[in-house]
Amino acid sequence: MKKKNRSDGPDRAARLRLGLCCLFRDQPIKFANTTATAIGRMERADGLAKIGRLCQANAEALMLALQFCARTGIGCFRINSQILPLKSHPVLGYTLDDLPQGAEIVARFQACGAFATRSGLRTCFHPDQFIVLNSPRPEVVDASVRELEYQAEVAEWVAADVVNVHGGGAYGDKPKALGDFARNLQRLSPRARRVLTVENDDKTYTPADLLPLCRSEGIPLVYDVHHHRCHSDGLTVDEATEQAVLTWDREPLFHVSSPIAGWNGPKPQRHHDFIDRNDFPDAWLGRRLTVEVEAKAKEVAVLALREAIIGFCAN
């Protein structure tokens, strides 16, 4: 193994961009939401007016979130899927032209994107688990496409370059299920295809399962090392890292987390409040890489991991 030069420690840490996922633990930054039940009880015009106010509030909260990240050295922020509440709902969904404040809402989100770009921040999305592009149920695929198109639209406003999904189900036949995933990609607009990525999970699809799909369809692999450790294949962490990096035409984005009760405890799939530095792969150090920190302590965990990595690289 090559001996580490002490002088390159800060540089090795600085090349990493650590990401915060959606919410805050201690900061008074909150995002608003509503339910289909609540909006469904209202007259359409009143419901759209309320949704418009929530969208405006969320644009303001997003700017505060990005400003916090820029101020504290957090390099990426994952935007909540419900940043525009009920946007892709099959009955209550809407376009921005339907909202009384539609143009202003778009402008506010575009201002967030401009700030992120000026500040060197990355933004991304990770749609909810109901997004299943290879579902055998047509209505699920329809809903998935609507949701991905919505998030790709907002991604354009906020300069996000990742909308990340899981591979979906296997349905008793992984090759067929992955073929269905690939075929349903044809239903997505070029805008949605440009930002779509796929992630290995902790139960069904490993990196080795998804890498052929990524190569054939030109979809980057978001390598989740925690999922890989829970649901392994024939690849080592270092090998999976190298192969995942090659699927990207921009800065790769990966995920890290630690098990709440340790690797020998029950249900290691569950996430801890913080990240154990030993769970952060050494193969990721020194790379131009975004790593989203999936930890319950949110911004506190991201900042603690950054300090741990800086300390490790300096020694």
Side-chain angles (χ1 to χ4, degrees):
M1 181 182 294
K2 182 180 177 182
K3 186 176 180 181
K4 183 172 68 177
N5 183 343
R6 285 178 178 270
S7 65
D8 71 3
D11 288 340
R12 295 175 81 218
R15 293 185 188 109
L16 285 168
R17 189 199 306 258
L18 296 184
L20 171 61
C21 298
C22 302
L23 303 173
F24 293 82
R25 192 191 78 171
D26 293 349
Q27 293 299 309
I29 301 172
K30 307 290 184 184
F31 292 90
N33 202 358
T34 188
T35 65
T37 300
I39 297 299
R41 293 195 192 105
M42 304 173 73
E43 295 292 332
R44 179 66 170 169
D46 293 337
L48 290 172
K50 178 178 178 178
I51 287 171
R53 291 192 295 272
L54 296 178
C55 291
Q56 287 183 309
N58 284 343
E60 293 170 3
L62 179 59
M63 181 63 83
L64 292 175
L66 295 174
Q67 290 169 344
F68 174 84
C69 290
R71 189 167 63 248
T72 58
I74 294 174
C76 178
F77 185 72
R78 180 193 295 176
I79 299 172
N80 190 299
S81 294
Q82 294 301 316
I83 195 81
L84 302 187
L86 302 176
K87 176 67 168 65
S88 65
H89 191 276
V91 176
L92 301 173
Y94 51 90
T95 69
L96 270 292
D97 290 338
D98 294 329
L99 302 180
Q101 317 90 332
E104 182 182 349
I105 291 165
V106 174
R108 290 190 183 196
F109 279 106
Q110 289 173 333
C112 292
F115 176 83
T117 300
R118 289 195 308 272
S119 304
L121 294 173
R122 194 175 192 181
T123 55
C124 60
F125 288 84
H126 191 3
D128 296 328
Q129 293 297 319
F130 69 82
I131 302 302
V132 185
L133 276 174
N134 63 358
S135 174
R137 297 169 55 198
E139 68 273 19
V140 173
V141 178
D142 291 345
S144 299
V145 171
R146 284 197 306 272
E147 183 71 8
L148 290 173
E149 293 293 346
Y150 140 57
Q151 295 195 28
E153 180 182 17
V154 183
E156 199 167 62
W157 304 341
V158 299
D161 65 349
V162 168
V163 176
N164 181 47
V165 300
H166 289 284
Y171 307 109
D173 188 340
K174 274 189 183 181
K176 179 183 181 302
L178 289 173
D180 290 342
F181 185 103
R183 280 187 291 277
N184 285 329
L185 291 176
Q186 299 173 22
R187 297 186 54 184
L188 297 177
S189 67
R191 175 170 65 184
R193 277 294 300 266
R194 278 194 300 271
V195 293
L196 187 73
T197 64
V198 65
E199 174 190 348
N200 60 295
D201 63 78
D202 56 12
K203 294 179 181 176
T204 306
Y205 290 109
T206 68
D209 291 327
L210 294 175
L211 280 163
L213 171 74
C214 292
R215 294 173 186 133
S216 65
E217 300 299 326
I219 304 173
L221 177 66
V222 172
Y223 175 43
D224 188 308
V225 69
H226 187 132
H227 289 167
H228 192 202
R229 287 165 173 156
C230 292
H231 184 39
S232 61
D233 49 23
L235 298 174
T236 66
V237 169
D238 287 8
E239 289 168 342
T241 294
E242 294 295 339
Q243 294 192 38
V245 164
L246 293 175
T247 66
W248 286 83
D249 60 358
R250 51 201 184 273
E251 181 175 300
L253 185 148
F254 291 172
H255 291 173
V256 70
S257 44
S258 290
I260 192 169
W263 290 108
N264 295 320
K267 298 183 179 179
Q269 296 90 347
R270 296 182 301 168
H271 293 176
H272 199 287
D273 287 359
F274 292 90
I275 306 298
D276 184 332
R277 214 302 301 168
N278 293 318
D279 290 332
F280 194 96
D282 288 352
W284 295 4
L285 299 172
R287 293 181 181 269
R288 293 290 180 188
L289 181 66
T290 299
V291 180
E292 288 192 292
V293 178
E294 297 189 325
K296 294 180 181 178
K298 298 300 181 180
E299 80 278 15
V300 181
V302 178
L303 296 173
L305 177 61
R306 188 185 65 179
E307 291 306 309
I309 289 172
I310 291 171
F312 175 79
C313 290
N315 292 325

